[in-house]
Amino acid sequence: MIQTRALNAEAARADFPILGRRVNGKPLIYLDSAATSQKPAVVIDTMDDYYRRYNANPHRGVYAISEEATAAYESARQRVATFINAASPKEVIFTRNTTEAINLVRYSWGRANIRPGARILLTEMEHHSNLVPWQLLAQEVQATLSFLRIDDDGLLELEQLDRQLEGVQLLAITHQSNTLGTINPIKAVAEAAHRAGALVLVDGAQTVPHMPVDVQDLGVDFYAFSGHKMCGPTGIGVLWARRSLLESMPPFRGGGDMIKRVRLNEATWNDLPWKFEAGTPSVAEGIGLGAAVDYLTQFGMDRVRSHEQTLVDYALEKLQEVPGITLYGPRDSELHGGAISFTLANIHPHDLATLVDREGIAVRAGHHCTQPLMDRLGVAATTRASFYIYNRVDEIDQLVSGIQKAQKVFA
Amino acid sequence: MSDDLYREQILEHYKNPHHFGELPDADITQEGDNPLCGDVITFYLKLDDGRLGDVRFRGRGCAISQASASMLTDLIVGKPLQQLKTFPTKDLLDELGIQISPARMKCATLSVNTLRVALNGDVPEED
Ligand SMILES: Cc1ncc(COP(=O)(O)O)c(C=O)c1O
């Protein structure tokens, strides 16, 4: 049983060893959790403990430490399943990251199902990892891509959704834009897609770490996310999909662990979820993700979300007072997750990021793997500040004063 | 080397770039970009009897990329083309006179890489 705990950023900070660090002589102010989150000691220690005490190849040994490794790895899967309310841990496929989860669907479901001339519907705000795999699949099977547009507040234009869904076999859509912060109305969009006979894949890289996600309630078909953005390690991600779909899909990679019986010229496939997990898995990382899920669960994801919403409200208010700033994404924090993009007149995002780094502030500058979105916004790059449980409002004040200092340099 | 990335001279070049603009009768027009950052530079080169008779550039991007292009134009105008074909990146970095982090190296070298393509065609970048 996981003890619940109030979410207090100051107390949470003590759990993250890196936040005690100084950068350029200043305390680290980490505002790039949308790229990757920091890791609490409990996650680092859990992985360390695996390597020190029971490192063994899971699923293969009958000896004690292999059984311990198997049990810990499968227990992590169970906890991830509970975290996103999957109907069964068999629906939780461990991958390397969101990108690999999406590519699994492309290669396995996509190749077997997308017909020549069919359409795949995406949005203008997709991360390259939920765009390029579909470009490649479309070229391979002669399908076409089409896109839901965004309005000037960074919200999806959905008036024509039913018409745009005609002939669509797959809708692949992000739950939250990593650049604009926009939270998309997945449940409603998925209902419309299903009425039109399309399946729905959701890129949840920016939502599972930051708000409650219930895959059954959302009513989608595939849901992908990464461990490293949710207090877990790199090298582990998740594809969730409905069991009946996974049962019907051909394997992704061939090799050890994913088979039941192999003869020289043929093989039969293992049960779910292992059918999709060829080779020795990322054991320490999977176990680490389990610890991350426990860590987040003690706060409760609704409280993580409301903490970040407070930060977004505060940041939008403070940033809009900065002269020469352009803010992107929704102004309503109900629709805006914990990532805010902006540009400044006369200061390129890279120059700004370099200058605030002098103050120990880590923000991201660039296209954030959303080049088509940059084209839509008419900019080459933006600066992005993104938040997590360990960020405090005074760090936003520091960011604002860092921006003001940069403006003096460029005045 | 100064550790101040935005020392006065660089900001000066950024705000008031030298040889900024276009040459309507350019012999070579070469665009270069750095898709990662969105920095863009176009060089207009006028040749004159084996030398670079005149140069202009237009560009958009961070202070490092644009200041480095401006500084480069000062270094190359009037020089023999034979010499410019192998213009050493190091000479430009010395002129910038600051410690460039690996993440910003592409910005600092966009101009010299574009010049190299303009004079030699699409050759691999110098390491
Ligand atoms: C919205 C979104 N999708 C996909 C990804 C890709 O995640 P990963 O690099 O972990 O595969 C990211 C993060 O980089 C993201 O923010």
PDB file of all heavy atoms in Angstrom, chain A residues 34-36 96-102 125-130 174-179 203-206 224-229 236 368-370 384, ligand 1:
ATOM      1  N   ALA A  34       9.718  18.870 -19.621  1.00  0.00           N
ATOM      2  CA  ALA A  34       9.019  18.314 -20.782  1.00  0.00           C
ATOM      3  C   ALA A  34       9.990  17.520 -21.656  1.00  0.00           C
ATOM      4  O   ALA A  34       9.588  16.608 -22.365  1.00  0.00           O
ATOM      5  CB  ALA A  34       8.363  19.419 -21.602  1.00  0.00           C
ATOM      6  N   ALA A  35      11.274  17.865 -21.593  1.00  0.00           N
ATOM      7  CA  ALA A  35      12.272  17.107 -22.352  1.00  0.00           C
ATOM      8  C   ALA A  35      12.619  15.828 -21.608  1.00  0.00           C
ATOM      9  O   ALA A  35      12.573  14.728 -22.158  1.00  0.00           O
ATOM     10  CB  ALA A  35      13.525  17.941 -22.571  1.00  0.00           C
ATOM     11  N   THR A  36      12.983  15.965 -20.344  1.00  0.00           N
ATOM     12  CA  THR A  36      13.113  14.795 -19.477  1.00  0.00           C
ATOM     13  C   THR A  36      13.009  15.287 -18.049  1.00  0.00           C
ATOM     14  O   THR A  36      13.473  16.385 -17.729  1.00  0.00           O
ATOM     15  CB  THR A  36      14.427  14.026 -19.720  1.00  0.00           C
ATOM     16  OG1 THR A  36      14.311  12.711 -19.131  1.00  0.00           O
ATOM     17  CG2 THR A  36      15.641  14.708 -19.124  1.00  0.00           C
ATOM     18  N   ARG A  96      11.232   0.994 -25.612  1.00  0.00           N
ATOM     19  CA  ARG A  96      12.353   1.818 -25.189  1.00  0.00           C
ATOM     20  C   ARG A  96      11.892   3.221 -24.805  1.00  0.00           C
ATOM     21  O   ARG A  96      12.436   3.837 -23.899  1.00  0.00           O
ATOM     22  CB  ARG A  96      13.373   1.899 -26.335  1.00  0.00           C
ATOM     23  CG  ARG A  96      14.787   2.092 -25.905  1.00  0.00           C
ATOM     24  CD  ARG A  96      15.745   1.554 -26.942  1.00  0.00           C
ATOM     25  NE  ARG A  96      15.581   2.220 -28.209  1.00  0.00           N
ATOM     26  CZ  ARG A  96      16.142   3.391 -28.526  1.00  0.00           C
ATOM     27  NH1 ARG A  96      16.916   4.002 -27.652  1.00  0.00           N
ATOM     28  NH2 ARG A  96      15.946   3.941 -29.694  1.00  0.00           N
ATOM     29  N   ASN A  97      10.880   3.723 -25.487  1.00  0.00           N
ATOM     30  CA  ASN A  97      10.371   5.080 -25.248  1.00  0.00           C
ATOM     31  C   ASN A  97       9.084   5.264 -26.063  1.00  0.00           C
ATOM     32  O   ASN A  97       8.627   4.321 -26.714  1.00  0.00           O
ATOM     33  CB  ASN A  97      11.430   6.144 -25.620  1.00  0.00           C
ATOM     34  CG  ASN A  97      12.070   5.855 -26.974  1.00  0.00           C
ATOM     35  OD1 ASN A  97      11.413   5.326 -27.872  1.00  0.00           O
ATOM     36  ND2 ASN A  97      13.337   6.191 -27.114  1.00  0.00           N
ATOM     37  N   THR A  98       8.557   6.464 -26.042  1.00  0.00           N
ATOM     38  CA  THR A  98       7.349   6.768 -26.824  1.00  0.00           C
ATOM     39  C   THR A  98       7.583   6.494 -28.305  1.00  0.00           C
ATOM     40  O   THR A  98       6.730   5.919 -28.988  1.00  0.00           O
ATOM     41  CB  THR A  98       6.992   8.264 -26.664  1.00  0.00           C
ATOM     42  OG1 THR A  98       6.878   8.561 -25.277  1.00  0.00           O
ATOM     43  CG2 THR A  98       5.700   8.615 -27.379  1.00  0.00           C
ATOM     44  N   THR A  99       8.728   6.930 -28.782  1.00  0.00           N
ATOM     45  CA  THR A  99       9.055   6.792 -30.199  1.00  0.00           C
ATOM     46  C   THR A  99       8.987   5.329 -30.623  1.00  0.00           C
ATOM     47  O   THR A  99       8.413   4.989 -31.659  1.00  0.00           O
ATOM     48  CB  THR A  99      10.469   7.354 -30.460  1.00  0.00           C
ATOM     49  OG1 THR A  99      10.508   8.698 -29.999  1.00  0.00           O
ATOM     50  CG2 THR A  99      10.833   7.286 -31.927  1.00  0.00           C
ATOM     51  N   GLU A 100       9.570   4.452 -29.812  1.00  0.00           N
ATOM     52  CA  GLU A 100       9.544   3.042 -30.184  1.00  0.00           C
ATOM     53  C   GLU A 100       8.138   2.465 -30.077  1.00  0.00           C
ATOM     54  O   GLU A 100       7.741   1.609 -30.872  1.00  0.00           O
ATOM     55  CB  GLU A 100      10.516   2.219 -29.320  1.00  0.00           C
ATOM     56  CG  GLU A 100      10.698   0.839 -29.912  1.00  0.00           C
ATOM     57  CD  GLU A 100      11.627  -0.033 -29.086  1.00  0.00           C
ATOM     58  OE1 GLU A 100      11.299  -0.332 -27.927  1.00  0.00           O
ATOM     59  OE2 GLU A 100      12.686  -0.397 -29.613  1.00  0.00           O
ATOM     60  N   ALA A 101       7.368   2.947 -29.114  1.00  0.00           N
ATOM     61  CA  ALA A 101       5.990   2.463 -28.967  1.00  0.00           C
ATOM     62  C   ALA A 101       5.181   2.798 -30.223  1.00  0.00           C
ATOM     63  O   ALA A 101       4.421   1.969 -30.738  1.00  0.00           O
ATOM     64  CB  ALA A 101       5.345   3.078 -27.727  1.00  0.00           C
ATOM     65  N   ILE A 102       5.347   4.026 -30.721  1.00  0.00           N
ATOM     66  CA  ILE A 102       4.613   4.440 -31.923  1.00  0.00           C
ATOM     67  C   ILE A 102       5.096   3.632 -33.134  1.00  0.00           C
ATOM     68  O   ILE A 102       4.301   3.184 -33.960  1.00  0.00           O
ATOM     69  CB  ILE A 102       4.761   5.955 -32.143  1.00  0.00           C
ATOM     70  CG1 ILE A 102       4.056   6.708 -31.007  1.00  0.00           C
ATOM     71  CG2 ILE A 102       4.206   6.369 -33.516  1.00  0.00           C
ATOM     72  CD1 ILE A 102       4.331   8.203 -30.964  1.00  0.00           C
ATOM     73  N   MET A 125       0.316  19.787 -34.714  1.00  0.00           N
ATOM     74  CA  MET A 125       1.147  20.007 -33.526  1.00  0.00           C
ATOM     75  C   MET A 125       1.910  18.752 -33.108  1.00  0.00           C
ATOM     76  O   MET A 125       2.473  18.707 -32.027  1.00  0.00           O
ATOM     77  CB  MET A 125       0.295  20.542 -32.366  1.00  0.00           C
ATOM     78  CG  MET A 125      -0.753  19.582 -31.872  1.00  0.00           C
ATOM     79  SD  MET A 125      -1.496  20.127 -30.305  1.00  0.00           S
ATOM     80  CE  MET A 125      -2.792  21.233 -30.861  1.00  0.00           C
ATOM     81  N   GLU A 126       1.942  17.721 -33.960  1.00  0.00           N
ATOM     82  CA  GLU A 126       2.602  16.479 -33.530  1.00  0.00           C
ATOM     83  C   GLU A 126       4.113  16.640 -33.373  1.00  0.00           C
ATOM     84  O   GLU A 126       4.783  17.326 -34.145  1.00  0.00           O
ATOM     85  CB  GLU A 126       2.316  15.346 -34.519  1.00  0.00           C
ATOM     86  CG  GLU A 126       0.863  14.915 -34.568  1.00  0.00           C
ATOM     87  CD  GLU A 126       0.228  14.716 -33.206  1.00  0.00           C
ATOM     88  OE1 GLU A 126       0.808  13.998 -32.373  1.00  0.00           O
ATOM     89  OE2 GLU A 126      -0.858  15.291 -32.968  1.00  0.00           O
ATOM     90  N   HIS A 127       4.627  15.968 -32.384  1.00  0.00           N
ATOM     91  CA  HIS A 127       6.073  15.759 -32.222  1.00  0.00           C
ATOM     92  C   HIS A 127       6.547  14.910 -33.409  1.00  0.00           C
ATOM     93  O   HIS A 127       5.790  14.069 -33.907  1.00  0.00           O
ATOM     94  CB  HIS A 127       6.282  15.006 -30.911  1.00  0.00           C
ATOM     95  CG  HIS A 127       7.702  14.871 -30.459  1.00  0.00           C
ATOM     96  ND1 HIS A 127       8.572  13.961 -31.011  1.00  0.00           N
ATOM     97  CD2 HIS A 127       8.399  15.512 -29.488  1.00  0.00           C
ATOM     98  CE1 HIS A 127       9.743  14.043 -30.390  1.00  0.00           C
ATOM     99  NE2 HIS A 127       9.670  14.982 -29.470  1.00  0.00           N
ATOM    100  N   HIS A 128       7.770  15.113 -33.848  1.00  0.00           N
ATOM    101  CA  HIS A 128       8.267  14.336 -34.992  1.00  0.00           C
ATOM    102  C   HIS A 128       8.084  12.828 -34.778  1.00  0.00           C
ATOM    103  O   HIS A 128       7.943  12.078 -35.740  1.00  0.00           O
ATOM    104  CB  HIS A 128       9.750  14.638 -35.252  1.00  0.00           C
ATOM    105  CG  HIS A 128      10.001  16.065 -35.642  1.00  0.00           C
ATOM    106  ND1 HIS A 128      11.236  16.651 -35.582  1.00  0.00           N
ATOM    107  CD2 HIS A 128       9.151  17.030 -36.094  1.00  0.00           C
ATOM    108  CE1 HIS A 128      11.140  17.913 -35.979  1.00  0.00           C
ATOM    109  NE2 HIS A 128       9.897  18.166 -36.281  1.00  0.00           N
ATOM    110  N   SER A 129       8.076  12.394 -33.533  1.00  0.00           N
ATOM    111  CA  SER A 129       7.974  10.952 -33.292  1.00  0.00           C
ATOM    112  C   SER A 129       6.558  10.431 -33.558  1.00  0.00           C
ATOM    113  O   SER A 129       6.373   9.224 -33.694  1.00  0.00           O
ATOM    114  CB  SER A 129       8.434  10.588 -31.877  1.00  0.00           C
ATOM    115  OG  SER A 129       7.451  10.921 -30.948  1.00  0.00           O
ATOM    116  N   ASN A 130       5.578  11.322 -33.640  1.00  0.00           N
ATOM    117  CA  ASN A 130       4.235  10.888 -34.044  1.00  0.00           C
ATOM    118  C   ASN A 130       3.883  11.450 -35.427  1.00  0.00           C
ATOM    119  O   ASN A 130       2.726  11.616 -35.751  1.00  0.00           O
ATOM    120  CB  ASN A 130       3.189  11.313 -33.007  1.00  0.00           C
ATOM    121  CG  ASN A 130       1.869  10.564 -33.172  1.00  0.00           C
ATOM    122  OD1 ASN A 130       1.843   9.419 -33.622  1.00  0.00           O
ATOM    123  ND2 ASN A 130       0.769  11.223 -32.829  1.00  0.00           N
ATOM    124  N   THR A 174      -1.554  13.779 -30.468  1.00  0.00           N
ATOM    125  CA  THR A 174      -0.924  13.941 -29.169  1.00  0.00           C
ATOM    126  C   THR A 174      -1.957  14.352 -28.118  1.00  0.00           C
ATOM    127  O   THR A 174      -2.894  15.082 -28.426  1.00  0.00           O
ATOM    128  CB  THR A 174       0.221  14.972 -29.233  1.00  0.00           C
ATOM    129  OG1 THR A 174       0.946  14.925 -28.011  1.00  0.00           O
ATOM    130  CG2 THR A 174      -0.285  16.393 -29.440  1.00  0.00           C
ATOM    131  N   HIS A 175      -1.792  13.854 -26.906  1.00  0.00           N
ATOM    132  CA  HIS A 175      -2.713  14.224 -25.823  1.00  0.00           C
ATOM    133  C   HIS A 175      -2.413  15.655 -25.364  1.00  0.00           C
ATOM    134  O   HIS A 175      -3.309  16.423 -25.086  1.00  0.00           O
ATOM    135  CB  HIS A 175      -2.564  13.235 -24.662  1.00  0.00           C
ATOM    136  CG  HIS A 175      -3.743  13.216 -23.726  1.00  0.00           C
ATOM    137  ND1 HIS A 175      -3.995  12.167 -22.886  1.00  0.00           N
ATOM    138  CD2 HIS A 175      -4.724  14.124 -23.501  1.00  0.00           C
ATOM    139  CE1 HIS A 175      -5.093  12.437 -22.174  1.00  0.00           C
ATOM    140  NE2 HIS A 175      -5.549  13.611 -22.526  1.00  0.00           N
ATOM    141  N   GLN A 176      -1.101  15.965 -25.302  1.00  0.00           N
ATOM    142  CA  GLN A 176      -0.723  17.358 -25.002  1.00  0.00           C
ATOM    143  C   GLN A 176       0.467  17.749 -25.868  1.00  0.00           C
ATOM    144  O   GLN A 176       1.440  16.997 -25.970  1.00  0.00           O
ATOM    145  CB  GLN A 176      -0.341  17.524 -23.529  1.00  0.00           C
ATOM    146  CG  GLN A 176       0.012  18.992 -23.193  1.00  0.00           C
ATOM    147  CD  GLN A 176       0.784  19.138 -21.899  1.00  0.00           C
ATOM    148  OE1 GLN A 176       0.347  18.675 -20.865  1.00  0.00           O
ATOM    149  NE2 GLN A 176       1.946  19.769 -21.976  1.00  0.00           N
ATOM    150  N   SER A 177       0.386  18.922 -26.460  1.00  0.00           N
ATOM    151  CA  SER A 177       1.510  19.415 -27.262  1.00  0.00           C
ATOM    152  C   SER A 177       2.691  19.739 -26.361  1.00  0.00           C
ATOM    153  O   SER A 177       2.550  20.478 -25.386  1.00  0.00           O
ATOM    154  CB  SER A 177       1.094  20.667 -28.037  1.00  0.00           C
ATOM    155  OG  SER A 177       2.254  21.355 -28.482  1.00  0.00           O
ATOM    156  N   ASN A 178       3.871  19.206 -26.715  1.00  0.00           N
ATOM    157  CA  ASN A 178       5.062  19.500 -25.920  1.00  0.00           C
ATOM    158  C   ASN A 178       5.547  20.923 -26.149  1.00  0.00           C
ATOM    159  O   ASN A 178       6.312  21.447 -25.364  1.00  0.00           O
ATOM    160  CB  ASN A 178       6.184  18.498 -26.253  1.00  0.00           C
ATOM    161  CG  ASN A 178       6.591  18.556 -27.705  1.00  0.00           C
ATOM    162  OD1 ASN A 178       5.750  18.469 -28.593  1.00  0.00           O
ATOM    163  ND2 ASN A 178       7.877  18.710 -27.953  1.00  0.00           N
ATOM    164  N   THR A 179       5.081  21.562 -27.221  1.00  0.00           N
ATOM    165  CA  THR A 179       5.528  22.916 -27.548  1.00  0.00           C
ATOM    166  C   THR A 179       4.527  23.971 -27.078  1.00  0.00           C
ATOM    167  O   THR A 179       4.905  24.945 -26.426  1.00  0.00           O
ATOM    168  CB  THR A 179       5.735  23.041 -29.069  1.00  0.00           C
ATOM    169  OG1 THR A 179       6.679  22.056 -29.473  1.00  0.00           O
ATOM    170  CG2 THR A 179       6.235  24.417 -29.445  1.00  0.00           C
ATOM    171  N   ASP A 203      -0.414   9.904 -28.435  1.00  0.00           N
ATOM    172  CA  ASP A 203       0.930  10.144 -27.913  1.00  0.00           C
ATOM    173  C   ASP A 203       0.759  10.804 -26.544  1.00  0.00           C
ATOM    174  O   ASP A 203       0.396  11.969 -26.446  1.00  0.00           O
ATOM    175  CB  ASP A 203       1.670  11.061 -28.896  1.00  0.00           C
ATOM    176  CG  ASP A 203       3.013  11.543 -28.360  1.00  0.00           C
ATOM    177  OD1 ASP A 203       3.316  11.294 -27.173  1.00  0.00           O
ATOM    178  OD2 ASP A 203       3.744  12.184 -29.137  1.00  0.00           O
ATOM    179  N   GLY A 204       1.022  10.020 -25.506  1.00  0.00           N
ATOM    180  CA  GLY A 204       0.803  10.509 -24.149  1.00  0.00           C
ATOM    181  C   GLY A 204       2.090  10.886 -23.429  1.00  0.00           C
ATOM    182  O   GLY A 204       2.122  10.946 -22.196  1.00  0.00           O
ATOM    183  N   ALA A 205       3.135  11.184 -24.208  1.00  0.00           N
ATOM    184  CA  ALA A 205       4.440  11.478 -23.589  1.00  0.00           C
ATOM    185  C   ALA A 205       4.357  12.634 -22.595  1.00  0.00           C
ATOM    186  O   ALA A 205       5.065  12.651 -21.587  1.00  0.00           O
ATOM    187  CB  ALA A 205       5.477  11.790 -24.680  1.00  0.00           C
ATOM    188  N   GLN A 206       3.462  13.618 -22.879  1.00  0.00           N
ATOM    189  CA  GLN A 206       3.387  14.795 -22.009  1.00  0.00           C
ATOM    190  C   GLN A 206       2.227  14.737 -21.032  1.00  0.00           C
ATOM    191  O   GLN A 206       2.038  15.686 -20.253  1.00  0.00           O
ATOM    192  CB  GLN A 206       3.263  16.073 -22.853  1.00  0.00           C
ATOM    193  CG  GLN A 206       4.475  16.377 -23.716  1.00  0.00           C
ATOM    194  CD  GLN A 206       5.728  16.662 -22.899  1.00  0.00           C
ATOM    195  OE1 GLN A 206       5.671  17.014 -21.717  1.00  0.00           O
ATOM    196  NE2 GLN A 206       6.883  16.494 -23.511  1.00  0.00           N
ATOM    197  N   ALA A 224       0.769   5.744 -26.003  1.00  0.00           N
ATOM    198  CA  ALA A 224       2.229   5.597 -25.878  1.00  0.00           C
ATOM    199  C   ALA A 224       2.799   6.638 -24.913  1.00  0.00           C
ATOM    200  O   ALA A 224       2.345   7.787 -24.898  1.00  0.00           O
ATOM    201  CB  ALA A 224       2.877   5.782 -27.251  1.00  0.00           C
ATOM    202  N   PHE A 225       3.785   6.246 -24.097  1.00  0.00           N
ATOM    203  CA  PHE A 225       4.478   7.226 -23.250  1.00  0.00           C
ATOM    204  C   PHE A 225       5.861   6.730 -22.861  1.00  0.00           C
ATOM    205  O   PHE A 225       6.211   5.578 -23.111  1.00  0.00           O
ATOM    206  CB  PHE A 225       3.645   7.611 -22.023  1.00  0.00           C
ATOM    207  CG  PHE A 225       3.197   6.463 -21.148  1.00  0.00           C
ATOM    208  CD1 PHE A 225       3.861   6.183 -19.959  1.00  0.00           C
ATOM    209  CD2 PHE A 225       2.104   5.682 -21.498  1.00  0.00           C
ATOM    210  CE1 PHE A 225       3.443   5.131 -19.136  1.00  0.00           C
ATOM    211  CE2 PHE A 225       1.674   4.634 -20.686  1.00  0.00           C
ATOM    212  CZ  PHE A 225       2.351   4.362 -19.502  1.00  0.00           C
ATOM    213  N   SER A 226       6.643   7.643 -22.258  1.00  0.00           N
ATOM    214  CA  SER A 226       8.055   7.387 -21.924  1.00  0.00           C
ATOM    215  C   SER A 226       8.273   7.440 -20.419  1.00  0.00           C
ATOM    216  O   SER A 226       7.761   8.347 -19.756  1.00  0.00           O
ATOM    217  CB  SER A 226       8.957   8.462 -22.543  1.00  0.00           C
ATOM    218  OG  SER A 226       8.942   8.397 -23.945  1.00  0.00           O
ATOM    219  N   GLY A 227       9.099   6.539 -19.907  1.00  0.00           N
ATOM    220  CA  GLY A 227       9.422   6.551 -18.483  1.00  0.00           C
ATOM    221  C   GLY A 227      10.238   7.761 -18.055  1.00  0.00           C
ATOM    222  O   GLY A 227      10.064   8.278 -16.951  1.00  0.00           O
ATOM    223  N   HIS A 228      11.118   8.230 -18.926  1.00  0.00           N
ATOM    224  CA  HIS A 228      12.079   9.257 -18.483  1.00  0.00           C
ATOM    225  C   HIS A 228      11.464  10.619 -18.255  1.00  0.00           C
ATOM    226  O   HIS A 228      12.103  11.489 -17.674  1.00  0.00           O
ATOM    227  CB  HIS A 228      13.239   9.358 -19.476  1.00  0.00           C
ATOM    228  CG  HIS A 228      12.863   9.931 -20.812  1.00  0.00           C
ATOM    229  ND1 HIS A 228      12.965  11.263 -21.076  1.00  0.00           N
ATOM    230  CD2 HIS A 228      12.383   9.351 -21.944  1.00  0.00           C
ATOM    231  CE1 HIS A 228      12.568  11.482 -22.338  1.00  0.00           C
ATOM    232  NE2 HIS A 228      12.211  10.334 -22.870  1.00  0.00           N
ATOM    233  N   LYS A 229      10.234  10.819 -18.729  1.00  0.00           N
ATOM    234  CA  LYS A 229       9.581  12.109 -18.485  1.00  0.00           C
ATOM    235  C   LYS A 229       8.724  12.058 -17.228  1.00  0.00           C
ATOM    236  O   LYS A 229       8.060  13.033 -16.889  1.00  0.00           O
ATOM    237  CB  LYS A 229       8.718  12.494 -19.683  1.00  0.00           C
ATOM    238  CG  LYS A 229       9.515  12.756 -20.959  1.00  0.00           C
ATOM    239  CD  LYS A 229       8.577  13.181 -22.087  1.00  0.00           C
ATOM    240  CE  LYS A 229       9.206  13.019 -23.450  1.00  0.00           C
ATOM    241  NZ  LYS A 229      10.086  14.129 -23.801  1.00  0.00           N
ATOM    242  N   ILE A 236      13.150   3.106 -21.111  1.00  0.00           N
ATOM    243  CA  ILE A 236      11.928   2.340 -20.875  1.00  0.00           C
ATOM    244  C   ILE A 236      10.725   3.213 -21.224  1.00  0.00           C
ATOM    245  O   ILE A 236      10.654   4.379 -20.850  1.00  0.00           O
ATOM    246  CB  ILE A 236      11.833   1.820 -19.419  1.00  0.00           C
ATOM    247  CG1 ILE A 236      10.688   0.820 -19.263  1.00  0.00           C
ATOM    248  CG2 ILE A 236      11.707   2.954 -18.413  1.00  0.00           C
ATOM    249  CD1 ILE A 236      11.073  -0.597 -19.591  1.00  0.00           C
ATOM    250  N   HIS A 368      11.828  22.061 -30.723  1.00  0.00           N
ATOM    251  CA  HIS A 368      11.189  21.090 -29.834  1.00  0.00           C
ATOM    252  C   HIS A 368      10.652  19.876 -30.594  1.00  0.00           C
ATOM    253  O   HIS A 368       9.620  19.298 -30.212  1.00  0.00           O
ATOM    254  CB  HIS A 368      10.068  21.747 -29.012  1.00  0.00           C
ATOM    255  CG  HIS A 368      10.443  23.103 -28.503  1.00  0.00           C
ATOM    256  ND1 HIS A 368      11.421  23.281 -27.544  1.00  0.00           N
ATOM    257  CD2 HIS A 368      10.032  24.342 -28.854  1.00  0.00           C
ATOM    258  CE1 HIS A 368      11.570  24.574 -27.324  1.00  0.00           C
ATOM    259  NE2 HIS A 368      10.749  25.241 -28.100  1.00  0.00           N
ATOM    260  N   CYS A 369      11.354  19.474 -31.658  1.00  0.00           N
ATOM    261  CA  CYS A 369      10.914  18.340 -32.478  1.00  0.00           C
ATOM    262  C   CYS A 369       9.517  18.548 -33.044  1.00  0.00           C
ATOM    263  O   CYS A 369       8.757  17.577 -33.206  1.00  0.00           O
ATOM    264  CB  CYS A 369      10.968  17.013 -31.711  1.00  0.00           C
ATOM    265  SG  CYS A 369      12.598  16.588 -31.156  1.00  0.00           S
ATOM    266  N   THR A 370       9.156  19.808 -33.316  1.00  0.00           N
ATOM    267  CA  THR A 370       7.860  20.100 -33.933  1.00  0.00           C
ATOM    268  C   THR A 370       8.086  21.132 -35.039  1.00  0.00           C
ATOM    269  O   THR A 370       7.546  22.233 -34.979  1.00  0.00           O
ATOM    270  CB  THR A 370       6.854  20.663 -32.910  1.00  0.00           C
ATOM    271  OG1 THR A 370       7.464  21.794 -32.231  1.00  0.00           O
ATOM    272  CG2 THR A 370       6.461  19.639 -31.872  1.00  0.00           C
ATOM    273  N   ARG A 384      11.164  27.474 -24.451  1.00  0.00           N
ATOM    274  CA  ARG A 384      10.107  26.776 -23.719  1.00  0.00           C
ATOM    275  C   ARG A 384      10.526  26.580 -22.270  1.00  0.00           C
ATOM    276  O   ARG A 384      11.631  26.108 -22.001  1.00  0.00           O
ATOM    277  CB  ARG A 384       9.834  25.413 -24.348  1.00  0.00           C
ATOM    278  CG  ARG A 384       8.739  24.631 -23.615  1.00  0.00           C
ATOM    279  CD  ARG A 384       8.589  23.223 -24.156  1.00  0.00           C
ATOM    280  NE  ARG A 384       9.720  22.387 -23.773  1.00  0.00           N
ATOM    281  CZ  ARG A 384       9.967  21.185 -24.284  1.00  0.00           C
ATOM    282  NH1 ARG A 384       9.195  20.682 -25.214  1.00  0.00           N
ATOM    283  NH2 ARG A 384      11.017  20.487 -23.879  1.00  0.00           N
TER     284      ARG A 384
HETATM  285  C1  LIG C   1       4.695  14.935 -27.224  1.00  0.00           C
HETATM  286  C2  LIG C   1       5.909  14.058 -27.339  1.00  0.00           C
HETATM  287  N1  LIG C   1       5.862  12.957 -28.085  1.00  0.00           N
HETATM  288  C3  LIG C   1       6.896  12.135 -28.204  1.00  0.00           C
HETATM  289  C4  LIG C   1       8.086  12.378 -27.568  1.00  0.00           C
HETATM  290  C5  LIG C   1       9.210  11.427 -27.785  1.00  0.00           C
HETATM  291  O1  LIG C   1       9.578  10.822 -26.614  1.00  0.00           O
HETATM  292  P1  LIG C   1      10.869   9.881 -26.595  1.00  0.00           P
HETATM  293  O2  LIG C   1      11.978  10.719 -27.123  1.00  0.00           O
HETATM  294  O3  LIG C   1      11.015   9.521 -25.158  1.00  0.00           O
HETATM  295  O4  LIG C   1      10.570   8.729 -27.466  1.00  0.00           O
HETATM  296  C6  LIG C   1       8.202  13.531 -26.785  1.00  0.00           C
HETATM  297  C7  LIG C   1       9.434  13.905 -26.078  1.00  0.00           C
HETATM  298  O5  LIG C   1      10.500  14.074 -26.551  1.00  0.00           O
HETATM  299  C8  LIG C   1       7.087  14.385 -26.675  1.00  0.00           C
HETATM  300  O6  LIG C   1       7.154  15.499 -25.944  1.00  0.00           O
END
